[in-house]
């Protein structure tokens, strides 16, 4: 742990690398900047996060996309964010909406988002949603990924348990195991770490046992 | 006539490779000396251009090559190949290939050949696998057309840099003149052969070597067997250039219309898009304090690298030079982060160890979940 901390401090000090807040001013095309600004205002009025919209515009700019395509991409993302907010009600934090939009983009359905929210009505589902999204992008089918993560959530898995799931599955997939089989294996491994008592203690109120 | 075709076909066999994932563009220039039974040695110049592109689960390859000998032999060939890995089955790869060759032998007429093949490759473990396949070819030469085919099966196992391969091919040959010792015996119908082959490939640093031996046995009357072995040594001083020397004996390849021959060949291969694109990996380390993590990006190779993503506000951030390549560390917040990396000012691409998602701009981004 000490070594990790030391490495982290050195890396940050040497590179001065901190996560950057996206800024409208970084959009070079003035007309596009106005379009994105309007989307940002609309998002704030809807109560959905606006930073992802600016990020999307900057991503398109980095990749050399034209203004029309960037505008379309940003608008489509705004619609996904609004849909994610609706499916995740009651929203506990804006990160949930952002990750929910990613999940919809990856192929998860509204029902999957609603199931995750129902499992953790009083805790942020940003991390579980992110893990399901990552598993789906690694080749696990959406229903299976959702079911496995839901089972873990209901059994009291911690955020770090969930976060390690994706990388463990990737390790198995890279050694030739089918993604679904790899997920089964890893979920069984995590299940063995969860004590029966933890389920009762950590399960959110209203969650099924 | 078959003797001259050998000059072409031998080079074809050597230049046609299995498609692989990644992007490659290569130019090959070389010289070869070939000798066939009962013919004098022949020197030839070899030139080829190859393209490989692979993304996700699909890879394509295309080759165009030509061979010119001092006695006015010229030829051109096209090879197209595709490999498919179904979603969720990384151990399964279906490969198919088609080739077409035309040879114009000045003063001696012309001919052509076409082949079509498919191979199913299964690798249940990273260190072992095997395949079964079939290939059929039609050759038209000296006004006569023949059909030839082969069924193949092989298995391989790898330990560190050493790969062992063994296989059996069954050949069905109508082109009797190609496989029988002169004067050709009067075989009517289709001759059948079995090829038993074994090989070893060794990779060490910038060197690679391969040795392959084949024993052919006739399975029908008057079908002539034989033995052959071929060795290859390659040296890659840097990622843009490699040299290859191959020598040995090849048995007749009836599917492509190539007679038996001995050869020695020296090739210079220029990799316009480097054959080994630098490995790019992303890992997470626990932050010393607070939430989030430190995202570490490492790129192997000599060319400078940049990273961009949600954590840089999609602005390119240069990586710092290290002993083994390039590296950068970034403090990232919990949640999902999107990331792409660029090497040497090339295209933005996804680090190899991350899952990838399509974006709205016709490319892909890597996804990483930060606890």
């Amino acid at each position: 742990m000490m070594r990790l901390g030391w490495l982290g401090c050195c890396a940050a000090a040497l590179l001065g690398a901190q996560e950057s807040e996206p800024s409208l001013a970084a959009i070079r095309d003035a007309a596009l900047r106005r379009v994105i600004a309007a989307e940002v205002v609309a998002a704030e009025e809807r109560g959905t996060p606006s930073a992802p919209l600016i990020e999307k515009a900057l991503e398109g700019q980095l990749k050399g996309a034209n203004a029309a395509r960037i505008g379309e991409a940003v608008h489509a993302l705004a619609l996904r964010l609004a849909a994610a907010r609706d499916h995740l009600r009651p929203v506990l934090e804006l990160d949930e909406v952002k990750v929910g939009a990613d999940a919809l983009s990856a192929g998860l359905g509204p029902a999957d988002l609603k199931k995750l929210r129902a499992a953790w009505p009083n805790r942020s589902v940003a991390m579980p949603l992110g893990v399901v999204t990552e598993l789906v992008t690694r080749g696990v089918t959406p229903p299976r990924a959702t079911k496995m993560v839901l089972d873990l959530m209901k059994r009291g898995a911690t955020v770090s348990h969930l976060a390690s799931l994706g990388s463990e599955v990737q390790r198995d997939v890279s050694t030739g195991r089918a993604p679904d089989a790899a997920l089964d294996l890893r979920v069984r491994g995590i299940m063995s770490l969860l004590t029966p008592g933890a389920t009762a203690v950590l399960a959110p109120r209203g969650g099924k046992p | 006539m078959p003797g001259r075709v050998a000059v072409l076909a031998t080079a074809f066999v050597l230049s046609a490779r299995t498609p692989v994932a990644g992007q490659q563009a290569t130019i090959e220039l070389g010289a070869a000396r070939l000798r066939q039974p009962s013919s004098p040695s022949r020197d030839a110049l070899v030139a080829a251009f190859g393209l490989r592109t692979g993304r996700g689960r699909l890879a394509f390859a295309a080759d165009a090559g030509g061979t010119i000998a001092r006695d006015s032999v010229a030829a051109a060939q096209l090879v197209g190949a595709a490999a498919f890995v179904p979603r969720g089955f990384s151990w399964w790869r279906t490969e198919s290939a088609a080739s077409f060759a035309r040879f114009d032998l000045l003063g001696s007429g012309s001919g052509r050949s076409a082949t079509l093949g498919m191979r199913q490759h299964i690798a249940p473990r990273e260190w072992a696998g095997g395949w079964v396949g079939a290939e059929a070819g039609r050759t038209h030469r000296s006004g006569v057309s023949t059909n030839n085919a082969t069924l193949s099966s092989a298995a391989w196992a790898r330990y560190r840099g050493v790969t062992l391969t063994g296989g059996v091919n069954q050949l069905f040959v109508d082109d009797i003149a190609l496989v029988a010792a002169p004067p050709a015996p009067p075989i009517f119908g289709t001759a059948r052969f079995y090829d038993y082959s074994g090989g070893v490939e060794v990779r060490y640093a910038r060197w690679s070597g391969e040795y392959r031996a084949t024993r052919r046995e006739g399975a029908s009357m008057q079908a002539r067997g034989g033995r052959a072995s071929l060795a290859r040594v390659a040296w890659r001083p840097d990622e843009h250039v490699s040299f290859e020397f191959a020598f040995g004996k090849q048995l007749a390849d009836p599917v492509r219309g190539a007679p038996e021959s001995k050869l020695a060949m020296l090739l210079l291969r220029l990799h316009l898009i480097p054959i080994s694109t630098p490995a790019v990996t992303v890992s997470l380390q626990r932050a010393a304090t607070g939430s989030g993590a430190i995202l570490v990006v490492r790129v192997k190779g000599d060319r400078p690298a940049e990273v961009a993503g949600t954590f840089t506000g999609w602005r390119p951030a240069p990586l710092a030079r290290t002993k083994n390549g390039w590296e950068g560390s970034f403090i990232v917040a919990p949640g999902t982060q999107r990331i792409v990396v660029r090497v040497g000012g090339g295209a933005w691409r996804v680090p190899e160890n991350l899952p990838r998602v399509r974006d709205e701009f016709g490319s892909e981004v890597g996804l990483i979940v930060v606890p």
Side-chain angles (χ1 to χ4, degrees), chain A:
Chain A
M1 183 63 76
M2 285 286 287
R3 181 175 162 77
L4 287 180
W6 181 83
L7 278 173
C9 289
C10 284
L14 285 171
L15 297 174
Q18 285 279 352
E19 188 163 3
S20 305
E21 282 296 319
S23 163
L24 267 176
I27 301 174
R28 292 189 293 268
D29 185 311
L32 177 64
R33 193 163 54 239
R34 283 194 293 276
V35 170
I36 304 305
E39 291 282 3
V40 166
V41 170
E44 285 169 351
E45 287 172 359
R46 279 196 299 266
T48 55
S50 57
L53 302 176
I54 304 173
E55 285 175 359
K56 183 59 68 182
L58 295 174
E59 181 186 352
Q61 180 174 277
L62 177 88
K63 294 176 177 175
N66 62 40
R69 194 162 187 183
I70 293 174
E72 287 169 11
V74 170
H75 184 66
L77 175 59
L79 296 178
R80 280 202 304 277
L81 288 165
R85 182 205 52 187
D86 292 343
H87 301 317
L88 289 170
R89 286 183 192 279
V91 172
L92 302 183
E93 58 180 44
L94 287 181
D95 269 356
E96 289 181 324
V97 178
K98 180 184 170 190
V99 183
D102 283 342
L104 292 173
S105 176
L108 268 75
D112 298 318
L113 270 60
K114 287 175 180 169
K115 283 178 192 168
L116 289 167
R117 166 52 70 212
W120 274 12
N122 300 318
R123 296 171 64 183
S124 170
V125 291
M127 175 54 62
L129 263 174
V131 172
V132 174
T133 305
E134 187 181 357
L135 291 171
V136 170
T137 59
R138 290 188 193 279
V140 180
T141 54
R144 190 159 195 82
T146 306
K147 181 179 182 305
M148 291 296 187
V149 171
L150 273 171
D151 284 348
L152 289 173
M153 291 164 70
K154 290 171 183 174
R155 285 170 183 262
T158 64
V159 163
S160 62
H161 282 142
L162 293 173
S164 68
L165 191 58
S167 56
E168 297 286 357
V169 169
Q170 170 62 17
R171 200 169 303 146
D172 290 340
V173 168
S174 69
T175 59
R177 201 180 296 276
D180 278 359
L183 180 60
D184 281 340
L185 179 76
R186 288 302 152 192
V187 167
R188 279 201 299 276
I190 291 175
M191 291 281 195
S192 68
L193 298 175
L194 307 176
T195 58
T199 306
V201 174
L202 295 176
R205 281 178 293 157
K208 294 176 185 174

Side-chain angles (χ1 to χ4, degrees), chain A residues 8 17 19-20 56 63 127 137 179, chain B residues 88 294 329 333 357 359-360 365 370:
Chain A
E19 188 163 3
S20 305
K56 183 59 68 182
K63 294 176 177 175
M127 175 54 62
T137 59
Chain B
I294 297 169
S329 301
V357 293
D359 65 16
E360 297 86 347
V365 294
V370 181

Side-chain angles (χ1 to χ4, degrees), chain B residues 250-306:
Chain B
Q250 287 202 144
L251 294 172
D253 181 353
V255 174
R256 292 174 181 78
E260 180 180 304
S261 63
K262 293 179 179 175
L263 81 149
M265 184 163 70
L266 182 62
L267 275 181
L268 164 67
R269 188 172 291 126
L270 303 173
H271 305 284
L272 305 181
I273 300 173
I275 194 165
S276 59
T277 50
V280 180
T281 56
V282 174
S283 59
L284 282 177
Q285 294 178 355
R286 192 189 298 262
T289 56
S291 61
I294 297 169
L295 186 146
V296 182
V297 183
R298 291 190 181 91
V299 178
K300 289 181 184 170
D302 298 327
R303 295 180 297 165
E306 298 168 292

Side-chain angles (χ1 to χ4, degrees), chain B:
Chain B
M1 184 75 75
R4 294 191 174 184
V5 175
V7 178
L8 318 172
T10 303
F12 294 167
V13 171
L14 289 176
S15 63
R17 301 286 165 82
T18 304
V20 295
Q23 293 190 342
Q24 301 172 20
T26 55
I27 291 177
E28 289 176 349
L29 301 169
R33 168 163 283 196
L34 300 107
R35 181 177 182 139
Q36 295 164 240
S38 67
S39 296
S41 295
R42 176 178 284 111
D43 296 321
L45 294 175
V46 179
F49 177 67
L51 279 175
R52 305 274 191 284
T53 181
R55 176 171 289 186
R57 291 175 288 277
L58 204 56
F60 296 98
D63 279 287
T67 307
I68 301 174
R70 198 162 46 187
D71 53 353
S72 303
V73 179
Q77 103 153 350
L78 289 171
V79 177
F84 172 67
V85 179
R87 185 182 182 88
F89 296 89
S90 56
W91 45 272
W92 174 287
R93 189 173 70 192
T94 304
E95 299 168 352
S96 60
S99 72
F100 176 78
R102 183 169 186 87
F103 33 88
D104 292 311
L105 312 177
L106 297 181
S108 305
S110 62
R112 60 186 179 274
S113 71
T115 69
L116 191 63
M118 182 164 278
R119 190 159 78 170
Q120 180 55 52
H121 195 136
I122 296 172
R125 292 288 178 269
E126 211 171 25
W127 50 269
W131 70 78
V132 293
E135 192 173 19
R138 183 174 176 84
T139 302
H140 182 83
R141 189 174 56 237
S142 304
V144 178
S145 294
T146 55
N147 297 318
N148 306 282
T150 178
L151 299 175
S152 61
S153 60
W156 58 267
R158 180 186 302 137
Y159 179 72
R160 296 182 184 271
V162 180
T163 305
L164 296 175
T165 308
V168 180
N169 289 1
Q170 187 174 8
L171 294 88
F172 304 88
V173 183
D174 281 352
D175 198 347
I176 302 302
L178 198 66
V179 293
I187 299 177
F188 298 100
T190 301
R192 283 189 294 126
F193 298 89
Y194 284 99
D195 279 359
Y196 302 94
S197 61
V200 58
E201 183 183 8
V202 179
R203 290 179 180 273
Y204 178 74
R206 295 180 180 276
W207 290 86
S208 67
E210 186 179 2
Y211 176 78
R212 194 187 312 148
T214 306
R215 192 180 84 211
R216 176 168 292 173
E217 291 182 357
S220 54
M221 275 185 63
Q222 296 168 298
R224 189 171 61 97
R227 290 168 186 266
S229 58
L230 192 69
R232 179 185 67 82
V233 179
W235 175 53
R236 184 159 56 95
D238 70 33
E239 60 186 11
H240 294 284
V241 179
S242 61
F243 297 93
E244 187 166 316
F245 180 61
F247 62 97
K249 179 182 172 186
Q250 287 202 144
L251 294 172
D253 181 353
V255 174
R256 292 174 181 78
E260 180 180 304
S261 63
K262 293 179 179 175
L263 81 149
M265 184 163 70
L266 182 62
L267 275 181
L268 164 67
R269 188 172 291 126
L270 303 173
H271 305 284
L272 305 181
I273 300 173
I275 194 165
S276 59
T277 50
V280 180
T281 56
V282 174
S283 59
L284 282 177
Q285 294 178 355
R286 192 189 298 262
T289 56
S291 61
I294 297 169
L295 186 146
V296 182
V297 183
R298 291 190 181 91
V299 178
K300 289 181 184 170
D302 298 327
R303 295 180 297 165
E306 298 168 292
V307 62
T310 43
F311 53 94
T312 69
W314 288 103
R315 281 188 292 272
L319 302 183
R321 192 79 168 101
T322 65
K323 186 180 175 185
N324 299 318
W326 303 82
E327 187 173 320
S329 301
F330 304 84
I331 298 170
V332 291
T336 54
Q337 301 284 350
R338 291 168 168 249
I339 179 173
V340 287
V341 173
R342 177 165 71 176
V343 179
W348 291 102
R349 63 192 183 92
V350 177
E352 281 90 341
N353 66 328
L354 293 188
R356 54 190 64 216
V357 293
R358 298 292 301 175
D359 65 16
E360 297 86 347
F361 310 111
S363 57
E364 294 178 318
V365 294
L367 193 72
I368 187 163
V369 178
V370 181

